[in-house]
Amino acid sequence: MTSIEITTPDDIADCRYCSVVSRANGEDPIGTANPFDTLLVMEISQPWTEERLLANPVLKQIHDLFHEIHDQQLPVAIMAIAPDRAYSVPNRHRVMCYQRPSQPFAEFNRQEFLVSEHQLAELAFGLVQNPDHLPAFAADRQPWSPLRDIMVCTHGNVDIACARFGSPIYERLRKQYASDRLRVWRCSHFGGHQFAPTLMDLPTGHVWGHLEPEILDVLVHRDQDVTGLRQFYRGWVGLTRFEQMVEREIWMQEGWPWLNYAKSGQVLAQDPDNEAENADWAELRLEFAAPDGTVTGAYEARVEACGTVETVWNSGEDPIAVKQYRVSRCDRVA
């Protein structure tokens, strides 16, 4: 985790922004939302540098936990958010934990705490690895409220594209859309900086990229035709890569009510000749149900590779070819 300092023209003299290349070449962002079972969000003041994390005994424990999770390939993500004058409490750190409910589901369960810095590591371990520690934080747990949190990646030292393009989107969202029910945060990297500016919408877990200011009204208010968001949608973190591609097709048909439907996905068959994430085709099934049970159903679909485009994963690097996909069939079967 590193700082979000805005870069200057001199800093990027020899650099091509990865997200500019991706957008110019028409890379489709769908299927790039990294799935997780648990997302741990911690309010930590900047700079988010590795040097600072290692120098602070409490933050070093969180740093080590992050690497342990990564090495064990656990379905857990950790995110830092910057303090905000409107949201933050002096000498306290906000910790939010979003956890996947039993399948199927529409949004993640959220727990929220306010703790001192010296409690951060113990709470993090409790939420991620040892729930027996959580009763000690009962007094720090915040009352549940139906809040929506938008996390905008402005993590410039991971990739300068996130600072260059993420910061203006964050500023617009924070000034024009934040409310008693909607908090907007600057956050650390959560993958896919070639799609900067990129954000995660919680507790639903929808991820967006290549954002443009003119589509923010639709994204926030959800009161216009959803198809206008198609090219910006990276996917829902409740599903895997090819399931996300199918889910977008269904969402475009069903409209905004789809957000409230509990959903689950299943891969029925997949190209056996390539690695799973690079398959040429996959057959999938998505099931859904309205909250009150009045609408239920299932779709079956086929996803197929349909060519390649060149993209850049990190600003300044050489372009690489990546597969693009299309949903060749999507039928409601129940």
Side-chain angles (χ1 to χ4, degrees):
M1 295 180 291
T2 49
S3 68
I4 62 163
E5 296 175 358
I6 303 299
T7 51
T8 67
D10 288 341
D11 294 326
I12 58 171
D14 298 319
C15 174
R16 297 187 69 194
Y17 290 117
C18 56
S19 61
V20 171
V21 176
S22 171
R23 186 194 294 262
N25 290 346
E27 183 181 7
D28 191 345
I30 191 60
T32 64
N34 294 320
F36 55 74
D37 289 348
T38 300
L39 172 64
L40 184 62
V41 180
M42 291 176 288
E43 184 180 357
I44 300 174
S45 62
Q46 298 168 302
W48 297 328
T49 62
E50 187 165 11
E51 291 79 9
R52 181 192 174 206
L53 293 174
L54 294 176
N56 182 305
V58 174
L59 298 183
K60 183 180 184 302
Q61 293 178 64
I62 296 171
H63 172 275
D64 293 343
L65 174 63
F66 173 82
H67 283 280
E68 181 180 341
I69 288 168
H70 182 269
D71 292 343
Q72 295 182 17
Q73 298 183 322
L74 299 177
V76 177
I78 296 180
M79 175 188 291
I81 52 173
D84 184 290
R85 285 185 299 174
Y87 310 143
S88 300
V89 177
N91 302 316
R92 308 290 278 180
H93 295 256
R94 192 174 305 276
V95 176
M96 293 177 277
C97 185
Y98 294 90
Q99 293 178 308
R100 179 190 295 261
S102 58
Q103 289 273 20
F105 71 104
E107 60 181 47
F108 289 79
N109 294 328
R110 175 172 57 87
Q111 300 180 74
E112 187 163 337
F113 301 82
L114 283 173
V115 297
S116 60
E117 183 177 85
H118 78 270
Q119 295 175 296
L120 272 175
E122 184 180 353
L123 177 57
F125 278 100
L127 289 168
V128 172
Q129 292 186 326
N130 195 341
D132 291 342
H133 290 187
L134 294 181
F137 296 93
D140 304 302
R141 188 190 298 268
Q142 301 304 293
W144 185 89
S145 58
L147 287 170
R148 182 179 175 190
D149 288 294
I150 288 182
M151 313 294 188
V152 184
C153 181
T154 56
H155 203 170
N157 285 359
V158 168
D159 194 285
I160 59 175
C162 294
R164 171 65 180 84
F165 302 109
S167 294
I169 289 291
Y170 161 77
E171 294 291 344
R172 182 179 290 248
L173 283 165
R174 182 67 183 85
K175 291 177 181 177
Q176 297 185 14
Y177 297 97
S179 68
D180 292 342
R181 295 293 182 90
L182 172 62
R183 299 181 295 196
V184 182
W185 303 89
R186 289 173 291 168
C187 77
S188 60
H189 180 60
F190 53 82
H193 35 259
Q194 73 266 37
F195 303 113
T198 184
L199 67 79
M200 185 181 299
D201 197 342
L202 294 162
T204 57
H206 294 92
V207 181
W208 303 89
H210 286 162
L211 291 168
E212 298 174 356
E214 56 267 26
I215 61 97
L216 296 180
D217 263 356
V218 188
L219 192 153
V220 172
H221 297 308
R222 302 172 176 173
D223 57 0
Q224 300 178 45
D225 187 357
V226 69
T227 58
L229 296 175
R230 178 187 177 90
Q231 72 189 82
F232 308 101
Y233 187 40
R234 291 182 55 190
W236 181 48
V237 295
L239 297 172
T240 59
R241 185 184 187 200
F242 295 117
E243 293 168 351
Q244 290 174 19
M245 297 175 188
V246 174
E247 193 261 348
R248 180 178 67 175
E249 295 302 312
I250 302 170
W251 189 6
M252 296 300 108
Q253 297 177 36
E254 297 281 347
W256 290 110
W258 178 253
L259 284 188
N260 299 318
Y261 292 172
K263 299 173 283 288
S264 62
Q266 179 185 4
V267 178
L268 302 176
Q270 191 164 301
D271 167 22
D273 298 325
N274 291 284
E275 295 181 0
E277 288 298 297
N278 200 40
D280 279 341
W281 60 267
E283 301 273 354
L284 306 108
R285 179 182 176 94
L286 264 64
E287 298 182 351
F288 64 93
D292 60 5
T294 56
V295 179
T296 62
Y299 284 85
E300 291 189 358
R302 181 179 176 89
V303 174
E304 297 177 341
C306 61
T308 64
V309 299
E310 285 197 337
T311 192
V312 174
W313 281 344
N314 298 288
S315 294
E317 292 184 353
D318 292 333
I320 60 170
V322 295
K323 285 183 181 178
Q324 299 292 273
Y325 294 87
R326 67 185 180 96
V327 178
S328 60
R329 176 177 56 80
C330 186
D331 300 320
R332 184 164 178 172
V333 295

